[in-house]
Amino acid sequence: AAMAIYHARRLTGIRRDLARKEEELNPLHRAGLIISSRLRLKETLESILQLALEVTNARYGIFRLLDKSGEFLITSAVGGSYMDRPIIEKMPLNGKSVMAHVARTRQPALIADLRVEPWTDIYFPLDSNLKMLSELAVPLVNSSGRLEGVLNVESPHVGAFSEDDSHTLQSLSTYAITAIQEVRLLDALQEVA
């Protein structure tokens, strides 16, 4: 009887793990469909950002892409509650901000509490009316190692994001990179034509 209970519990655990994996893969499948639908880049980034907000339960998020000079992160898509545009549209790459830090280090930042050092010194709100306490930002780095930008989500709750959220956001960022590279390729082809 004890063995039967053990196997039943193990089977329940396996089913739970499979359901969780299916939930994780679903947003990635949706991101793949977004890419294959051939939307314009802005619409594609907005759709991926909306997906990122849903998956992480973030209050709002932003894509900033590196400009041609390589000196600024420019707002390319914004999503979430109560905000249309950030206060700063053009963020210096060498400036003091979480997104600039992530862009320079090319490493994700999973910040449970923005009021803690060193984040309190470099965090500033995208909108002064919103008080955010958690942030998750991932760099967009293409296969050749070139920085394309940063995907960032924020929450008014402490400890809002997990390592799983970070991995999911990193996966979603690869879809954004694909969209960016497709646009660049199409632009180059049009110039040649």
Side-chain angles (χ1 to χ4, degrees):
M3 199 62 153
I5 291 170
Y6 167 78
H7 285 298
R9 284 185 180 154
R10 190 156 178 249
L11 190 59
T12 302
I14 290 168
R15 284 191 183 124
R16 198 177 306 120
D17 288 347
L18 283 172
R20 192 168 58 244
K21 284 291 175 202
E22 191 176 323
E23 259 181 48
E24 288 170 13
L25 289 172
N26 188 34
L28 301 183
H29 176 69
R30 284 166 60 196
L33 292 175
I34 289 165
I35 293 295
S36 63
S37 67
R38 297 290 179 264
L39 297 167
R40 286 182 308 222
L41 181 60
K42 185 178 186 306
E43 292 167 343
T44 301
L45 293 179
E46 285 171 351
S47 297
I48 292 172
L49 186 56
Q50 193 54 48
L51 205 48
L53 291 171
E54 287 173 27
V55 170
T56 61
N57 290 315
R59 176 65 56 86
Y60 71 81
I62 187 169
F63 265 110
R64 290 191 194 265
L65 301 185
L66 196 62
D67 71 346
K68 286 182 181 171
S69 74
E71 295 177 30
F72 293 94
L73 292 166
I74 309 293
T75 300
S76 300
V78 179
S81 312
Y82 318 117
M83 193 177 93
D84 293 326
R85 302 300 294 175
I87 298 166
I88 297 173
E89 293 279 342
K90 192 174 177 180
M91 180 179 285
L93 193 63
N94 63 0
K96 282 178 75 172
S97 70
V98 173
M99 290 184 80
H101 169 78
V102 166
R104 286 192 306 269
T105 61
R106 297 176 184 219
Q107 294 296 316
L110 173 57
I111 305 166
D113 192 341
L114 289 161
R115 299 168 299 180
V116 174
E117 297 284 343
W119 309 113
T120 189
D121 293 333
I122 65 170
Y123 175 76
F124 65 91
L126 294 177
D127 184 318
S128 54
N129 296 323
L130 300 175
K131 183 158 176 65
M132 296 294 135
L133 296 176
S134 294
E135 185 167 357
L136 173 57
V138 298
L140 301 154
V141 180
N142 71 22
S143 56
S144 64
R146 174 183 163 149
L147 177 73
E148 299 288 358
V150 178
L151 169 55
N152 180 77
V153 294
E154 298 184 22
S155 170
H157 306 291
V158 172
F161 307 114
S162 66
E163 283 292 338
D164 283 347
D165 291 326
S166 181
H167 294 307
T168 301
L169 219 59
Q170 289 171 66
S171 296
L172 288 174
S173 75
T174 62
Y175 289 98
I177 292 164
T178 301
I180 293 162
Q181 289 177 323
E182 282 185 5
V183 165
R184 202 169 278 140
L185 182 60
L186 287 171
D187 288 348
L189 288 171
Q190 284 177 339
E191 279 179 30
V192 169

